[in-house]
Amino acid sequence: MSTPSPASSASTHASSASPSAAQLVAEVDRGFDASTARLVDFLRIPSVSTDPAYDGETRRCAEWLVGELRGLGFEAEAAKTIGHPMVVAHHPGVGADAAKRPRILYYGHYDVQPADPLELWTSPPFEPAIVEGPRGKRVVARGAVDDKGQVMGIVEALRAWKALAGGPPCPVTLMIEGEEESGSKSLEPFMHAAKDRLAADVCVVSDTGMWDIATPAITTRLRGLVYMEVTVHGPSRDLHSGMYGGAVPNPINVLARILSELHDVDRRITIPGFYDGVGELPPTTRAQWESLGFSDSEFLGDIGLQDGFGEKGRSTLERTWSRPTCDVNGIFGGYTGKGAKTVIAAHATAKVSFRLVSRQDPAKIAAAFEEFVRSRLPAGCRAEFESHGANAAIEVSESSRYLVAADAGLKAVFGKAPLLIGTGGSIPAVGAIQRILGMDSLLVGFGLDDDCVHSPNEKFELACYQNAIRSHAAMLGEFARLSR
Ligand code: BES
Ligand code: MN
Ligand code: MN
């Protein structure tokens, strides 16, 4: 037990009855400065999973988290995988009733995106800075909101439960991965191998956003993702563009033309069969989204734009939550240094990603893209493809009893009910958890649109962090009222 606080000393019967939401919130608030200090320690470790130069730090980060969870009475380890360690931890729950209550699996990730371009950060990405913003204090660091701050939202909620009740009221397992930002190669093999340890009744994922700083949200739709890298090869070596130019295929010109043909004038994607399985929005969902009062001007104004752009005849919310996309994420080849060099490069590469919705089939989309490119190559060129992942879209039930319980917990913290929203992002684990472990996920996240996810100066509002901890504590209390 930690130092008694007004909230915990008021509940001297805490060992017999479960703490109330108000008692949990008071306990979270009492410890919030220390929770922030621990988040800062976590953020200091540069766990960039995609870059092998950070492998040692990524492991150290996993071990740091294991240390925290052991301190909370969990049996925890940084489990070996074919890639970065998986942090797995388990607590059977306190009291004789715990075994009758739903088993909760929490999923999140401790790895982060690379921090570049470094020169655009106002403070070093792995030296977390607590700075004053228009909505109070915020922590600025790579991983602040995606996903270390949200993982600590869960960990610190478990700490409040330990302080007030000796541990969580339900059996709790955590699976915190170290490869979410770099393709999750170990995730499925690990889940197959550890199926028994990961058994639970519901998975709670905290890696998404809120509606706004005062309004919580439960995300019920995630887009899928097909990510392909394509290299067009032409001449057998780089050439003088005067000697050869005009008489040979230029792989950069060829690739640029093909990429430009991926969209038509209405910004629909032209790959044959691409829209197979794309459903129209049910009228009730459309009406609910319209009632949200989404502001195009706020969403676009924040990124320096005025007008939306995308598939003709669709709103911004539809375009990001329920329509598929094709975006070139990177393109390179030839001379990119200073000044001019007259050269025809031997090859050119593009990284192309597709966001998928409804029942679009990732394997079919990947194959159709390859065919789209190959069928447009001139004689003398060939294309090579590499896949960086393929995941279908996810829709989760809007009426599960866990969602109803989460709704009650969030109401107790925010004084209002969460909105049901979609997101344009992807979390491959959610589909794998459904397929391999056979359970639905409940997506409750605490990010804001302007958190600069994956960008320089990523931040997490401390108000969001505090509400994340409070909410996870209160939601766990609500889950514990259900029987298995
Ligand atoms: N947390 C994000 C997903 C996300 C982003 C959810 C924005 C809600 C709003 C996650 O870490 C992520 O970045 N996912 C990647 C996919 C992954 C395979 C690299 C994405 O969506 O690009
Ligand atoms: Mn994330
Ligand atoms: Mn991410």
Side-chain angles (χ1 to χ4, degrees), residues 320-369:
T320 55
W321 290 359
S322 69
R323 300 299 300 170
T325 66
C326 165
D327 276 296
V328 180
N329 296 119
I331 182 162
F332 51 97
Y335 184 65
T336 57
K338 285 196 168 45
K341 179 185 179 191
T342 48
V343 65
I344 291 173
H347 47 82
T349 299
K351 293 176 187 277
V352 183
S353 68
F354 301 89
R355 296 283 169 175
L356 311 187
V357 301
S358 338
R359 292 164 311 280
Q360 276 180 301
D361 178 346
K364 252 181 71 182
I365 301 274
F369 172 64

Side-chain angles (χ1 to χ4, degrees), residues 126-297:
F126 299 107
E127 290 172 30
I130 309 274
V131 300
E132 197 66 48
R135 287 167 298 184
K137 289 198 168 76
R138 48 172 66 165
V139 57
V140 179
R142 170 56 85 230
V145 63
D146 186 16
D147 185 33
K148 287 176 173 174
Q150 304 213 49
V151 167
M152 289 305 283
I154 297 164
V155 171
E156 296 302 296
L158 293 167
R159 191 181 307 279
W161 270 96
K162 178 166 191 280
L164 294 186
C170 307
V172 167
T173 304
L174 287 93
M175 172 173 70
I176 311 294
E177 80 159 305
E179 302 182 320
E180 199 273 347
E181 301 290 14
S182 58
S184 297
K185 285 202 170 56
S186 306
L187 183 69
E188 296 201 11
F190 180 81
M191 278 174 33
H192 280 292
K195 225 174 145 172
D196 295 343
R197 289 170 72 190
L198 300 172
D201 299 293
V202 66
C203 178
V204 176
V205 177
S206 201
D207 194 21
T208 51
M210 301 171 61
W211 177 251
D212 61 32
I213 194 160
T215 317
I218 296 177
T219 298
T220 60
R221 291 165 169 255
L222 288 166
R223 287 197 289 193
L225 183 66
V226 165
Y227 201 122
M228 302 284 287
E229 181 162 335
V230 52
T231 300
V232 171
H233 296 270
S236 58
R237 57 179 168 82
D238 287 6
L239 305 172
H240 189 292
S241 69
M243 284 175 69
Y244 293 92
V248 299
N250 175 334
I252 300 177
N253 294 7
V254 169
L255 180 61
R257 173 182 52 78
I258 295 173
L259 296 176
S260 75
E261 288 171 7
L262 283 163
H263 293 87
D264 68 15
V265 289
D266 294 331
R267 273 96 58 186
R268 278 176 69 88
I269 291 138
T270 55
I271 297 173
F274 183 80
Y275 288 91
D276 291 357
V278 176
E280 278 302 325
L281 220 46
T284 48
T285 308
R286 180 178 297 279
Q288 191 243 328
W289 288 7
E290 275 162 12
S291 76
L292 289 172
F294 177 80
S295 160
D296 266 36
S297 61

Side-chain angles (χ1 to χ4, degrees), residues 408-448:
L410 290 165
K411 250 185 221 148
V413 169
F414 286 89
K416 56 173 154 174
L419 299 178
L420 299 183
I421 62 170
T423 180
S426 310
I427 307 174
V430 173
I433 288 164
Q434 172 60 254
R435 256 183 294 111
I436 300 168
L437 303 179
M439 73 189 107
D440 271 338
S441 289
L442 183 64
L443 298 141
V444 188
F446 297 91
L448 299 178

